[in-house]
């Protein structure tokens, strides 16, 4: 048998790395930052107490000046509310603190945080919060699952400094995030961040609407577009123009500016860029180590963040964009910093020549690609198999794998009297969605089910499947029956 000559080299490399990290004897025990803080024997009950004041974006909370840890109380309310998405376009946002993104939280490394989530009684759904800064189950999601009209509290120690995303983590998680439930929490290092003149809070997010970009009226969420990660809107701070025009960020020539930049996603990676400036410093991925200087564009993953700062050298309008440019100029991911002050022609002159130039053009030939849909089911067995796939990809997140639902949130499909009582009604619910109180197996549920935008064939398949699974027994649903239901 031929020996693997690479394996000993790999092992030797690992050994060298271990010696360099832990010392020649390997006896030094590696200890994380979080382990050091968690074992500091601080009496939490004797920590000084303070309440955190929420500030709406794009403002960032002020730097922390105290030099010791504190016990910090944060309370934020969840609201499901109609707001402007673009001119003439409204959307029902699900919000933390009635803003998108939610307010930025700022605590100090070593702080003990008592976090309260209140879900407004008008909400249709339960919500929770997953803070990426939390060391613990679900990032706090487990301790904050809150029904409408209730509030929940959990506590955590801010162990690791950095800039972290938070978001709702109630099923279907992607839908809650796509409706605006995200924000940033800064765990400021004990020594603080370098001082700057201005700090701003900017967060990118996607919105998947039934209508196309710019279609006027109240738009609803489109699950199919979300699954395909094809948003109609990609915006900063929750809406087109949220930080542009009259709402532009402000600065003066000579000032230093820090942007706490995040990406709520839920699907796309952001290529964050400021047209007309260069980032003097970048803390990539929300960490606290300055790891790059003189950067043009920094990548921010979905559910990630970055800290950038730069000096405003000349007056003018600095344009914030996602440099995936169709998102900026065709979907809304554009903002502005208006810089006032005296021009400096040694840095930038503006236009000095305007002459005629006639370039040759070229023709672009479009390409076409053939596509074929999967063949439609032709019998009950094929219909059940197709329905199982549709259910798993569209329904299982809320109604669960075996149709048991989620108590007080999403009704069961297993042995469901509501499902089986009226076939036409079930077809209508899958096609158009459902909102408002219903009674299933003697229990009341008041949540929201979005229309899934399925084909008539998929509706027939998934209803055939659920009406003949999970203890249900009924006849198949045909495509013709689906087409007749309006």
């Amino acid at each position: 048998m031929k020996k693997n000559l690479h394996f000993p080299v790999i092992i030797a490399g690992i050994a060298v790395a271990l010696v360099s990290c832990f010392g020649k004897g390997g006896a030094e025990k590696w200890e994380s930052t979080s382990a050091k803080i968690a074992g500091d024997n601080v009496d939490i009950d004797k920590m000084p107490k303070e309440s955190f004041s929420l500030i709406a974006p794009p403002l960032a909370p002020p730097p922390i000046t105290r030099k010791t840890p504190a016990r910090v109380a944060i309370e934020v309310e969840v609201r499901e509310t109609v707001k402007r998405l673009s001119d003439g376009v409204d959307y029902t946002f699900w919000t933390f603190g009635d803003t998108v993104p939610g307010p930025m939280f700022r605590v100090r490394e070593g702080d003990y945080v008592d976090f309260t989530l209140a879900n407004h009684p008008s909400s249709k759904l339960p919500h929770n919060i997953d803070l990426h800064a939390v060391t613990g189950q679900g990032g706090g999601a487990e301790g904050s699952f809150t029904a409408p009209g209730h509030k929940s509290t959990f506590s955590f120690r801010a162990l690791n400094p950095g800039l972290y995303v938070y978001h709702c983590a109630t099923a279907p998680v992607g839908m809650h995030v796509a409706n605006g439930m995200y924000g940033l929490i800064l765990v400021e290092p004990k020594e603080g961040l370098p001082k700057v003149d201005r700090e701003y809070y900017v967060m990118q997010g996607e919105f998947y609407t039934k209508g196309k970009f710019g279609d006027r009226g109240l738009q609803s969420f489109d699950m199919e577009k979300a699954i395909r990660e094809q948003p109609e809107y990609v915006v900063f701070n929750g809406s087109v123009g949220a930080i542009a025009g009259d709402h532009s960020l402000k600065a003066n020539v000579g000032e230093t500016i820090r942007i706490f930049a995040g990406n709520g996603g839920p699907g796309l990676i952001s290529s964050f860029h400021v047209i007309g400036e260069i980032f003097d410093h970048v803390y990539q991925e929300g960490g606290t180590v300055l790891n790059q200087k003189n950067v043009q564009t920094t990548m921010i993953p979905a559910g990630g963040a970055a800290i950038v700062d730069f000096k405003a050298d000349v007056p003018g309008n600095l344009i914030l964009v996602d440099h995936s440019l169709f998102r900026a100029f065709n979907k809304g991911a554009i903002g502005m910093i208006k810089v006032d002050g005296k021009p400096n022609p040694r840095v930038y002159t503006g236009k000095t020549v305007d002459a005629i130039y006639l370039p040759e053009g070229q023709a672009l030939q479009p390409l076409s690609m053939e596509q074929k849909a999967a063949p439609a089911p032709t019998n009950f067995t094929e219909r059940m198999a197709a329905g199982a796939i549709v259910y798993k990809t569209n329904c299982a997140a809320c109604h669960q794998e075996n149709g048991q639902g989620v108590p007080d949130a999403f009704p069961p499909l297993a042995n469901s009297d509501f499902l089986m009582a009226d076939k036409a009604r079930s077809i209508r619910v899958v096609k158009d969605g459902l909102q408002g109180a219903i009674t299933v197996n003697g229990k009341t549920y008041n949540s929201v089910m979005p229309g899934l935008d399925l084909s008539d064939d998929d509706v027939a398949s998934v209803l055939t499947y659920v009406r003949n699974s999970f203890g249900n027994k009924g006849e198949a649903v045909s495509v013709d029956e689906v087409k007749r239901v309006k």
Side-chain angles (χ1 to χ4, degrees):
M1 182 181 293
K2 185 178 180 180
K3 293 183 178 180
N4 187 336
L5 300 179
H6 297 289
F7 188 69
V9 175
I10 294 172
I11 295 298
I14 293 174
V16 171
L18 289 173
V19 169
S20 66
C21 288
F22 300 125
K24 291 182 179 180
E28 266 189 64
K29 184 179 179 182
W30 174 80
E31 188 176 26
S32 69
T33 301
S34 59
K36 290 177 182 177
I37 296 176
D40 62 6
N41 297 318
V42 169
D43 188 339
I44 292 172
D45 291 330
K46 293 183 179 179
M47 281 182 168
K49 295 183 179 180
E50 62 180 51
S51 295
F52 182 82
S53 298
L54 303 181
I55 300 175
L59 298 180
I64 295 171
T65 57
R66 55 183 164 81
K67 302 302 181 183
T68 57
R71 186 163 186 169
V72 182
I74 299 177
E75 181 167 343
V76 64
E77 180 186 66
V78 171
R79 281 183 178 264
E80 301 167 4
T81 181
V82 175
K83 291 179 177 290
R84 173 191 174 277
L85 177 57
S86 184
D87 289 342
V89 183
D90 291 330
Y91 189 81
T92 303
F93 294 90
W94 300 351
T95 71
F96 292 110
D98 205 31
T99 63
V100 178
M104 178 177 161
F105 310 130
R106 192 168 192 161
V107 297
R108 182 186 181 274
E109 179 184 1
D111 283 353
Y112 192 78
V113 181
D114 297 312
F115 195 99
T116 299
L117 186 72
N119 194 353
H120 194 272
S122 65
S123 295
K124 300 296 184 183
L125 294 170
H127 298 282
N128 62 9
I129 190 166
D130 168 4
L131 300 114
H132 291 186
V134 170
T135 301
Q137 184 170 334
E142 172 271 338
S144 61
F145 186 83
T146 309
H150 290 254
K151 59 166 51 176
S152 303
T153 299
F154 69 98
S155 301
F156 69 94
R157 193 80 185 272
L159 300 177
N160 300 88
L163 182 64
Y164 300 95
V165 167
Y166 67 80
H167 60 88
C168 185
T170 302
V173 179
M175 181 179 179
H176 284 247
V177 175
N179 282 335
M181 300 194 76
Y182 49 79
L184 293 180
I185 175 171
L186 175 67
V187 180
E188 194 164 314
K190 288 183 286 188
E191 66 276 11
L193 295 173
K195 184 178 179 180
V196 294
D197 296 306
R198 295 178 186 262
E199 292 183 329
Y200 289 115
Y201 166 34
V202 176
M203 202 160 185
Q204 183 170 315
E206 306 138 29
F207 291 91
Y208 300 86
T209 58
K210 289 281 188 184
K212 295 181 179 179
F213 181 91
D215 282 356
R216 296 188 299 277
L218 178 62
Q219 290 294 318
S220 60
F221 173 78
D222 189 312
M223 179 66 83
E224 185 61 32
K225 289 179 182 177
I227 293 170
R228 295 197 307 265
E229 296 183 354
Q230 294 177 346
E232 294 293 335
Y233 296 83
V234 183
V235 299
F236 294 134
N237 287 20
S239 64
V240 177
I243 53 171
D246 293 339
H247 305 289
S248 296
L249 311 181
K250 311 277 186 198
N252 296 310
V253 169
E255 289 183 330
T256 49
I257 302 164
R258 173 174 294 133
I259 298 177
F260 298 106
N263 182 10
L268 304 181
I269 295 172
S270 173
S271 302
F272 188 64
H273 176 76
V274 176
I275 301 173
E277 262 298 348
I278 297 165
F279 302 141
D280 295 329
H281 306 114
V282 175
Y283 302 78
Q284 290 176 320
E285 298 181 347
T288 54
V289 175
L290 173 60
N291 53 2
Q292 271 296 0
K293 295 184 177 182
N294 305 319
V295 173
Q296 58 187 322
T297 302
T298 191
M299 303 293 288
I300 306 177
I307 304 172
V308 302
D309 58 58
F310 54 93
K311 184 178 180 180
D313 297 298
V314 293
N317 295 327
L318 304 177
I319 309 301
L320 286 64
V321 296
D322 180 338
H323 215 292
S324 296
L325 290 176
F326 284 107
R327 301 177 191 170
F329 297 104
N330 299 85
K331 296 191 174 187
I334 194 164
M336 184 180 295
I337 303 175
K338 291 186 175 181
V339 180
D340 292 327
K342 294 182 179 180
N344 184 351
R346 296 176 65 87
V347 175
Y348 178 72
T349 64
K351 183 186 290 188
T352 58
V353 175
D354 188 355
I356 295 174
Y357 173 61
L358 299 174
E360 295 180 359
Q362 61 179 355
L364 298 177
Q365 300 297 324
L367 298 176
S368 63
M369 298 183 69
E370 185 180 5
Q371 68 177 44
K372 294 182 179 180
T378 59
N379 55 50
F380 181 81
T381 301
E382 292 179 356
R383 182 72 67 192
M384 286 289 288
I389 295 172
V390 176
Y391 180 85
K392 183 176 181 180
T393 56
N394 293 276
C395 312
C398 293
H399 295 291
Q400 304 298 294
E401 182 178 0
N402 297 315
Q404 70 268 31
V406 176
D408 302 318
F410 304 108
L413 299 179
N415 298 302
S416 170
D417 55 4
F418 183 89
L419 170 69
M420 302 304 292
D422 189 334
K423 183 193 289 189
R425 178 178 64 188
S426 297
I427 293 171
R428 190 173 297 109
V429 168
V430 175
K431 290 176 71 172
D432 301 331
L434 179 66
Q435 180 172 328
I438 61 171
T439 301
V440 181
N441 298 345
K443 293 185 178 181
T444 299
Y445 296 83
N446 189 2
S447 57
V448 175
M449 174 179 168
L452 299 179
D453 197 27
L454 300 175
S455 67
D456 290 344
D457 195 77
D458 281 350
V459 172
S461 295
V462 74
L463 281 174
T464 297
Y465 174 74
V466 298
R467 288 172 60 84
N468 290 276
S469 303
F470 318 136
N472 300 318
K473 188 172 179 60
E475 68 278 14
V477 177
S478 70
V479 174
D480 287 340
E481 286 177 310
V482 174
K483 289 180 177 178
R484 287 197 295 268
V485 173
K486 303 296 182 182

